[in-house]
């Protein structure tokens, strides 16, 4: 379950207009320095768009989903292309936390799922499924470890599997 501020769909529809084609949310009315029609929100360091309403932060992709589908969801919403600022409706999909993690880019240089072994000669393959890190084996090359990761990713994440 996602620990975010709940979205009152009708309220957000009254203050924001969502363009599913562009993924942008725009203010319906001027208030203070904000002008009607201006793009709502600001990006965080990783690119995710945040919109402040009534002194609370809301994730733009969750607002977009709620406005487009007419209901809020407690489930994760995944960006298919891993671009957290691309909130086009065709780029958003419901996912479990594990699936969302499976569709992530590697956090370091190198091939996803492959890690140098402490002996300095071999490579270890691991995958995270839910809260568990699963050991997939030890391999002679980084490529072989990555291939083991790819097979496991397809098994565990299906269409959410990302290999790079």
């Amino acid at each position: 379950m996602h620990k975010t501020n709940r979205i009152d769909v009708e309220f957000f529809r009254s203050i924001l207009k969502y363009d599913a084609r562009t993924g942008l949310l725009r203010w319906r009315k001027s208030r203070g320095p904000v002008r009607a029609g201006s793009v709502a929100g600001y990006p965080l360091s990783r690119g995710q768009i945040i919109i402040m309403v009534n002194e609370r932060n809301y994730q733009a992709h969750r607002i977009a989903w709620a406005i487009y589908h007419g209901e809020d969801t407690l489930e994760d919403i995944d960006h298919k292309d891993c671009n957290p600022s691309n909130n086009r409706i065709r780029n958003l999909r419901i996912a479990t936390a594990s699936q969302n993690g499976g569709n992530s880019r590697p956090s370091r240089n190198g091939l996803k799922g492959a890690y140098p072994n402490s002996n300095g000669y071999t490579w270890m393959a691991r995958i995270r499924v839910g809260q568990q890190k699963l050991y997939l084996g030890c391999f002679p090359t980084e490529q072989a470890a990555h291939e083991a990761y790819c097979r496991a990713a397809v098994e565990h994440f299906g269409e959410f599997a990302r290999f790079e």
Side-chain angles (χ1 to χ4, degrees), residues 125-129 132-137 156:
R126 286 190 315 225
I127 190 169
R128 180 183 285 276
V129 179
Q132 285 189 309
K133 285 183 183 175
L134 304 179
Y135 173 74
L136 303 173
H156 290 285

Side-chain angles (χ1 to χ4, degrees), residues 72-133:
D72 190 9
T73 180
L74 289 173
E75 297 176 273
D76 280 10
I77 298 173
D78 178 54
H79 290 83
K80 292 178 189 177
D81 67 359
C82 289
N83 177 351
S85 63
N86 179 1
N87 293 319
R88 292 174 178 89
I89 202 64
R90 69 175 180 263
N91 189 48
L92 303 178
R93 61 185 170 184
I94 295 292
T96 64
S98 187
Q99 289 169 326
N100 203 354
N103 185 35
S104 64
R105 295 189 193 276
S107 59
R108 57 176 186 77
N109 292 334
L111 298 174
K112 192 169 183 182
Y115 302 89
N117 211 336
S118 59
N119 66 19
Y121 300 105
T122 59
W123 292 82
M124 178 176 45
R126 286 190 315 225
I127 190 169
R128 180 183 285 276
V129 179
Q131 297 299 314
Q132 285 189 309
K133 285 183 183 175

